[in-house]
Every structure is written in structure tokens, then in C-alpha cells.
Amino acid sequence: MPCYRCGARQTDPVRGASPWQRGVRNESQVLICPDCQRLHDLDLDACGTCGSTALICRLGEVECRSCGAVWMARSDTPLSGSTAPPPPGLSAEVEAALNRVLGRT
Ligand SMILES: [Zn+2]
Ligand SMILES: [Zn+2]
């Protein structure tokens, strides 16, 4: 599976953990190459509980690898309800960093 963003192909895995990151975007499993991981507009799905983007998607379910939360993909009942959802791609972590840079708290 190539990088969803730039289409780069995964090279032969080196020993140890792959530098490629797995994530979920639009409730589909994607791979992110090391280059694209440095970008802050990855537009990955984030956990509604802890904000982590370390998610895995399988069999219609999305599971958070950080806190273990599991929810149905393609759910008709988004967590955000009637409130406006956060901008896509902004994980809580990135948002917090942006807020620091912009002087917001
Ligand atoms: Zn890439
Ligand atoms: Zn989580």
C-alpha cells in the first residue's frame, strides 16, 4: 500500500519498527510515509476520546491504539452531534501546538 498522500511506495522494511505510520482517514486504513508524517495537514481521523490519530480500521470498526476506544466506522451518530466538528486534520495535539504558536490558550 503506497503513502495515501504522496503515493510513495514503501521500501524494503529495515530492521525494527517501520518508519511508516498507519492511520485511518475517512474511516479507511492508510499508510503515511516518513516524509508526510512531518506535515501537519495529514487529515487523519482522530480518536474522539483521546484525540490520538494512532487508529486502526478493520471490519467496519475503528480502534484507537492509544486508549483502546472502539467505534463503528460509517456511523450515523458522530460524536460531535449538532456542534460544528473541528477542522479536519487537526488532531488535538496539533491544535494545541497551533494555539501556542498563535498565542491562544
Ligand atoms: Zn507520503
Ligand atoms: Zn483514543
Side-chain angles (χ1 to χ4, degrees), residues 17-71:
S18 168
W20 284 57
Q21 180 188 337
R22 290 200 302 173
V24 174
R25 182 170 181 268
N26 295 330
E27 296 175 342
S28 301
Q29 188 79 56
V30 296
L31 276 176
I32 307 102
C33 75
D35 285 344
C36 290
Q37 284 172 36
R38 289 196 286 267
L39 304 174
H40 282 185
D41 60 346
L42 288 175
D43 199 20
L44 294 175
D45 290 359
C47 173
T49 301
C50 71
S52 170
T53 55
L55 310 178
I56 50 176
C57 184
R58 63 185 178 203
L59 298 177
E61 286 185 343
V62 182
E63 179 178 343
C64 175
R65 294 161 72 198
S66 291
C67 72
V70 178
W71 61 95

